[in-house]
């Protein structure tokens, strides 16, 4: 009897690991695609390493994606995650994004993570860490998972996923030149 229970538990654990690995494989694929899409900005006059996409959690259908536009829009809240959530909510004509997952090339700052919580997102999956981003500019160094832990709103935070690929957006020569301008205080 005990061996049957152990076998059943082992089978459940194996299924859970397989499901987790399958989900991680999907997350990696989506993050690579998002990083490639965000990387397209590196050849423009306004390069940014921050991109975000919202997908349906069950079907994987893309709802919306956007990049950071703080400098372009002269709006300190125009982070990629917030812009993507605003656009997605507008498209759905709703304030809830329950049933959706946010992918972002960099760990959300506290403002963006709070917005993700208020929007009711199921999951937030990030690439580079907030500590990675802090190497190139000012950041509020509170991890997204810490923000999520301090609320009763449920949202799973996963990351870093494909960190090296997302971090490469920050180290691209075009982006390094932009960071020098951003950090100098010039428009």
């Amino acid at each position: 009897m005990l061996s049957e229970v152990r076998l059943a538990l082992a089978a459940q654990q194996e299924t859970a690991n397989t499901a987790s690995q399958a989900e991680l494989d999907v997350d990696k694929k989506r993050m690579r695609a998002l990083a490639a899409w965000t990387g397209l900005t590196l050849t423009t006059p306004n390069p940014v390493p921050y991109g975000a996409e919202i997908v349906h959690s069950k079907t994987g259908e893309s709802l919306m994606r956007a990049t950071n536009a703080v400098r372009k829009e002269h709006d300190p809240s125009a982070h990629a995650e917030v812009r993507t959530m605003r656009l997605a909510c507008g498209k759905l004509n709703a304030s809830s994004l329950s049933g959706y997952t946010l992918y972002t090339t960099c760990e959300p700052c506290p403002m963006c993570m709070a917005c993700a919580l208020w929007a009711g997102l199921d999951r937030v999956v990030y690439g580079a860490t907030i500590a990675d981003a802090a190497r190139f500019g000012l950041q509020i160094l509170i991890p997204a998972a810490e923000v999520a832990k301090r609320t009763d709103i449920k949202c799973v935070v996963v990351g870093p996923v494909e960190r090296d690929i997302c971090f490469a957006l920050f180290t691209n020569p075009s982006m390094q030149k932009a960071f020098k301008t951003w950090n100098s205080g010039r428009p």
Side-chain angles (χ1 to χ4, degrees), residues 19-187:
S20 296
Q21 186 58 50
E23 190 171 58
L24 182 59
D25 290 344
V26 169
D27 288 345
K28 286 180 175 183
K29 181 180 177 183
R30 288 189 178 135
M31 190 62 71
R32 286 190 302 268
L34 177 60
W37 180 78
T38 303
L40 296 174
T41 70
L42 299 175
T43 60
T44 70
N46 298 303
V48 291
Y50 305 101
E53 181 172 23
I54 294 175
V55 303
H56 193 275
S57 295
K58 287 190 170 57
T59 67
E61 181 181 346
S62 178
L63 175 63
M64 188 61 60
R65 61 183 173 184
T67 58
N68 179 297
V70 169
R71 293 180 67 80
K72 185 177 177 185
E73 295 179 2
H74 309 288
D75 177 356
S77 70
H79 292 199
E81 301 92 336
V82 170
R83 289 185 73 235
T84 305
M85 286 183 266
R86 285 177 182 156
L87 293 166
C89 286
K91 185 173 182 177
L92 294 174
N93 197 28
S95 60
S96 173
L97 292 171
S98 177
Y100 289 89
T101 295
L102 173 71
Y103 287 87
T104 178
T105 58
C106 187
E107 183 175 6
C109 73
M111 174 187 73
C112 293
M113 189 61 215
C115 191
L117 292 165
W118 287 121
L121 285 159
D122 298 344
R123 299 171 67 230
V124 170
V125 182
Y126 67 86
T129 67
I130 203 156
D132 292 334
R135 292 176 55 187
F136 304 101
L138 298 174
Q139 291 293 327
I140 300 172
L141 295 171
I142 302 172
E146 181 65 26
V147 175
K149 276 195 279 187
R150 293 178 177 257
T151 180
D152 57 353
I153 302 169
K154 187 177 182 284
C155 180
V156 176
V157 178
V158 179
V161 173
E162 298 294 7
R163 180 181 181 185
D164 291 343
I165 291 169
C166 293
F167 186 70
L169 295 167
F170 289 84
T171 59
N172 178 282
S174 176
M175 198 62 245
Q176 287 295 300
K177 183 178 177 185
F179 282 137
K180 284 180 185 172
T181 302
W182 294 5
N183 293 329
S184 73
R186 292 191 309 259

Side-chain angles (χ1 to χ4, degrees), residues 1-16:
M1 177 74 169
L2 187 56
S3 62
E4 288 176 19
V5 171
R6 286 184 182 156
L7 285 173
L9 288 173
Q12 287 176 348
Q13 184 62 42
E14 187 174 315
T15 302

